[in-house]
Amino acid sequence: MKKLINAPDDVVSDALEGLAAAHPSLAVDMDSRVVTRAGGPRPGKVGLVSGGGSGHEPLHAGFVGYGMLDAACPGEVFTSPVPDQMLAAARAVDGGAGVLQIVKNYTGDVLNFQMAGELAGEEGIEVRSVLVNDDVAVEDSLYTAGRRGTGATVFVEKIAGALAEQGADLAALVTVAEQVNARTRSFGIALSPATTPASGRPGFTLAEDEIEIGVGIHGEPGRRRGPIGTAAQLAETALDAIHQDLPLDGEVLVMVNGMGGTPLIELYIVFREVRRLLAARGVAVARNLVGNYVTSLEMQGFSLTVCKLTEQFTELWDAPVQTPALRWGR
Amino acid sequence: MKKLINAPDDVVSDALEGLAAAHPSLAVDMDSRVVTRAGGPRPGKVGLVSGGGSGHEPLHAGFVGYGMLDAACPGEVFTSPVPDQMLAAARAVDGGAGVLQIVKNYTGDVLNFQMAGELAGEEGIEVRSVLVNDDVAVEDSLYTAGRRGTGATVFVEKIAGALAEQGADLAALVTVAEQVNARTRSFGIALSPATTPASGRPGFTLAEDEIEIGVGIHGEPGRRRGPIGTAAQLAETALDAIHQDLPLDGEVLVMVNGMGGTPLIELYIVFREVRRLLAARGVAVARNLVGNYVTSLEMQGFSLTVCKLTEQFTELWDAPVQTPALRWGR
């Protein structure tokens, strides 16, 4: 294992110190392991909290800032954060209007956010949760009952975050977040595995020419393995899986996401193919993200996330955002 | 070789089509292979042109936009663009105030930009060039007489780009660009090699525990090979090499740059160490970039770039920039 780390046990705390030093717009509570916006909560604004295992950067801490999240709770690598973190986050961001938890569907995350929500409730903080489960690859998985949550998280965080900034109440945010999740699907393909610092070994192995089709963001198995094809073929495989589950039409928001070890030049090639295939079905890519947003350490591969836009989604997507990983319009 | 491509020969053109589709702010001339800002040149503004081999994305096309470059010329992967591209770029961005070419010091790039500058001059376009040669690792290299140009390119493009936006003339831009280069140094370390699509084979090989210390952005050999150490040790190696060449003091701008295959979480750890080591020497990191900016396909590793700030540099660094890869303040 060759990694730029000091010791496996220090990876998350060292990285959080680096994150805090790099971004004055963030406040990092090293004891609680909670990343918030510098300056504290805005009275009357619903606080948006997300979190999950580390190793998926910039998710989630990279999306803390104006127009998106108020707090992120990073767990150990590929490990759920604990309820105490989530409770500390809820306390830190509650401006009196309650807290929305954005939870990717992994069993540990779901249970811990639920417990944290109950504890916060006992303290008088109103907490609601939305579950993100957009990955069509498999119905149940290693760490999941039901579908895994992946790329849609970025869309939910951005769109609900923009609405929260406008002063929407908790119920309205739950509604829009659920709508985004309902209209979004993802599918991932891995060319190589990732190695967690703690294990020191690749999470799985692939033959020289083999890929994992439908892979999860922790290297969970997908639908099948097969030989690598062209970028056009891989894009079609991912898009077909999505389209079969949620027939696409009209205007869509597309993310071609790198798993962490894939060159950007390759992601642009995949985007070219996705856009071409969608155009052939009469579907227009109205908005897009191409880059590393939901990674799996150094895994090579990509995931495709497609959201069927509504007028409201587009408007909220275009609204100003100022986070380390997503910035525009202000 | 597992890559998200259609065919080795189509990598650059397919990626350029993807880039054009992803970023409406860019105009991509597929025939000339030139990426410019949409909307054409601004009369009276000096046009900033850069370019070089592909495979280093987001460099250079990702830095085309308000406050930075006016045009980028992408060559084939790890191969210099041709003079015709650079000439087309000069024509496309000349607003009557001349063109500044920002050239990384690789023999092919230098010769071709020189030829393009002469051809443009014959057409009445005033062209000046600045050579970027910040990499302290080695004096001469595989493709270079003198030092290689790497991370400083981003700083030169940003700082000169901001000054150009303010209406500075060509001579003033040459001066500031040369000053940035003179006050900036870089050093890179590779944990793994990259494979170009054309060759299908890794550019070099390393043992299980071995790293290349002082590596170039095309996998050129550095100073030596050695066993991997901690992030703290690697940061110190890179910083020592820089400090030995250019003693650091006061305030600096630091980039911890991923080579393309390194997880973001590791880059934050390296940044933590760099900042700590600089603080111990009484040097303050006043500005920073942590992420993938000058990559080498899927190579794992990082490069460290440090610029000794002046008041002018800081002001121009903070000025608004709107490009696919760098965005703030507007």
Side-chain angles (χ1 to χ4, degrees):
Chain A
M1 175 178 72
K2 278 191 270 193
K3 287 184 181 290
L4 302 171
I5 64 175
N6 292 311
D9 284 349
D10 298 337
V11 165
V12 175
S13 54
D14 285 355
L16 282 176
E17 287 188 13
L19 182 85
H23 303 290
S25 66
L26 301 180
V28 180
D29 179 337
M30 290 301 298
D31 293 329
S32 303
R33 289 208 176 173
V34 173
V35 180
T36 57
R37 305 185 194 181
R42 206 178 82 202
K45 178 187 169 300
V46 173
L48 265 64
V49 174
S50 193
S54 292
H56 307 300
E57 290 69 25
L59 189 81
H60 295 271
F63 299 126
V64 173
Y66 181 87
M68 218 160 159
L69 292 179
D70 292 275
C73 313
E76 287 296 318
V77 173
F78 291 3
T79 303
S80 174
V82 296
D84 276 356
Q85 283 175 271
M86 299 157 173
L87 177 60
R91 286 178 187 146
V93 306
D94 179 39
V99 169
L100 178 69
Q101 295 175 331
I102 298 169
V103 185
K104 299 196 303 301
N105 190 31
Y106 299 98
T107 306
D109 291 15
V110 172
L111 290 174
N112 291 351
F113 267 113
Q114 189 181 340
M115 186 176 301
E118 286 166 13
L119 292 169
E122 288 169 15
E123 297 183 12
I125 304 172
E126 192 185 356
V127 176
R128 298 281 301 274
S129 289
V130 60
L131 197 68
V132 181
N133 60 353
D134 54 311
D135 185 346
V136 301
V138 292
E139 267 312 311
D140 299 295
S141 184
L142 270 184
Y143 313 111
T144 322
R147 289 179 174 185
R148 301 176 298 222
T150 60
T153 318
V154 179
F155 296 176
V156 171
E157 291 175 1
K158 171 68 184 81
I159 290 172
L163 193 62
E165 221 63 68
Q166 295 176 5
D169 66 16
L170 192 47
L173 293 178
V174 170
T175 301
V176 81
E178 286 178 348
Q179 284 171 343
V180 172
N181 181 59
R183 297 176 69 91
T184 305
R185 297 291 189 277
S186 294
F187 193 87
I189 292 178
L191 277 55
S192 75
T195 297
T196 61
S199 79
R201 279 189 305 273
F204 57 96
T205 51
L206 291 170
E208 185 66 32
D209 197 35
E210 200 178 33
I211 60 173
E212 178 76 41
I213 298 162
V215 72
I217 59 173
H218 312 92
E220 305 96 311
R223 294 183 173 181
R224 63 187 173 88
R225 291 183 176 183
I228 189 168
T230 62
Q233 289 165 339
L234 298 178
E236 189 155 25
T237 298
L239 198 58
D240 279 349
I242 288 170
H243 186 73
Q244 209 144 37
D245 196 80
L246 181 73
L248 301 170
D249 52 33
E251 295 198 336
V252 294
L253 160 62
V254 162
M255 176 167 70
V256 172
N257 170 62
M259 297 291 203
T262 298
L264 186 54
I265 193 171
E266 296 180 25
L267 299 180
Y268 279 117
I269 295 175
V270 174
F271 179 69
R272 171 191 190 264
E273 302 308 330
V274 168
R275 187 166 167 276
R276 189 180 52 74
L277 291 163
L278 282 167
R281 297 176 193 212
V283 181
V285 179
R287 299 292 184 275
N288 74 85
L289 285 181
V290 180
N292 290 304
Y293 295 99
V294 184
T295 61
S296 303
L297 296 171
E298 74 280 8
M299 188 187 285
Q300 289 182 292
F302 76 99
S303 61
L304 174 64
T305 300
V306 184
C307 172
K308 291 173 72 166
L309 285 167
T310 65
E311 215 169 297
Q312 185 197 26
F313 289 3
T314 306
E315 194 181 301
L316 293 168
W317 181 258
D318 289 345
V321 61
Q322 289 296 328
T323 71
L326 222 56
R327 265 188 246 189
W328 59 69
R330 198 186 173 215
Chain B
M1 176 178 71
K2 279 192 269 192
K3 288 184 180 291
L4 302 170
I5 64 175
N6 291 311
D9 284 350
D10 298 337
V11 165
V12 175
S13 54
D14 284 355
L16 282 176
E17 286 188 13
L19 182 85
H23 304 290
S25 65
L26 301 179
V28 180
D29 178 338
M30 291 300 299
D31 292 329
S32 303
R33 288 209 175 172
V34 173
V35 180
T36 58
R37 306 184 194 181
R42 206 178 81 202
K45 179 187 168 300
V46 173
L48 266 63
V49 174
S50 194
S54 292
H56 306 301
E57 290 68 26
L59 188 83
H60 295 271
F63 300 127
V64 173
Y66 181 85
M68 218 161 160
L69 293 179
D70 293 275
C73 314
E76 286 298 317
V77 173
F78 290 3
T79 303
S80 174
V82 296
D84 276 356
Q85 281 175 273
M86 300 158 174
L87 178 59
R91 285 178 187 145
V93 305
D94 180 38
V99 169
L100 178 68
Q101 295 176 331
I102 298 169
V103 185
K104 299 197 301 301
N105 189 32
Y106 300 97
T107 306
D109 291 15
V110 172
L111 290 175
N112 290 352
F113 267 113
Q114 189 181 339
M115 187 176 299
E118 285 165 14
L119 293 169
E122 288 169 14
E123 297 184 10
I125 304 172
E126 193 186 355
V127 175
R128 296 281 301 275
S129 288
V130 60
L131 197 69
V132 181
N133 59 351
D134 54 311
D135 185 346
V136 301
V138 292
E139 269 310 312
D140 298 296
S141 185
L142 271 183
Y143 313 109
T144 322
R147 290 180 172 182
R148 300 175 298 222
T150 61
T153 317
V154 179
F155 297 176
V156 171
E157 291 175 1
K158 171 67 183 81
I159 290 173
L163 194 63
E165 221 63 67
Q166 295 175 6
D169 66 16
L170 192 47
L173 293 178
V174 169
T175 300
V176 81
E178 286 177 349
Q179 284 171 344
V180 172
N181 181 60
R183 295 176 70 92
T184 305
R185 298 290 188 278
S186 295
F187 193 88
I189 293 178
L191 278 54
S192 74
T195 296
T196 60
S199 78
R201 278 189 305 274
F204 56 97
T205 51
L206 291 169
E208 186 66 33
D209 197 35
E210 199 178 34
I211 60 173
E212 179 76 41
I213 298 162
V215 72
I217 58 173
H218 312 91
E220 305 96 310
R223 293 184 174 181
R224 62 186 174 88
R225 290 183 177 182
I228 188 167
T230 62
Q233 289 165 339
L234 299 179
E236 189 155 25
T237 298
L239 198 57
D240 278 351
I242 289 170
H243 187 72
Q244 210 144 36
D245 196 80
L246 181 74
L248 301 169
D249 52 32
E251 295 197 334
V252 295
L253 160 63
V254 163
M255 176 167 70
V256 172
N257 170 63
M259 298 291 203
T262 299
L264 186 54
I265 193 170
E266 297 181 24
L267 299 179
Y268 279 117
I269 295 175
V270 174
F271 179 68
R272 171 192 190 264
E273 303 308 329
V274 169
R275 186 168 167 275
R276 190 181 51 76
L277 291 163
L278 283 168
R281 299 178 192 213
V283 181
V285 178
R287 299 291 184 277
N288 73 84
L289 285 181
V290 180
N292 291 305
Y293 296 99
V294 184
T295 62
S296 303
L297 296 170
E298 73 281 9
M299 187 187 285
Q300 288 182 293
F302 75 101
S303 61
L304 174 64
T305 301
V306 185
C307 172
K308 291 173 71 167
L309 285 166
T310 66
E311 215 169 296
Q312 186 197 24
F313 288 5
T314 306
E315 194 181 302
L316 293 168
W317 182 257
D318 289 345
V321 61
Q322 290 295 330
T323 70
L326 222 57
R327 266 188 245 190
W328 59 69
R330 199 183 170 217

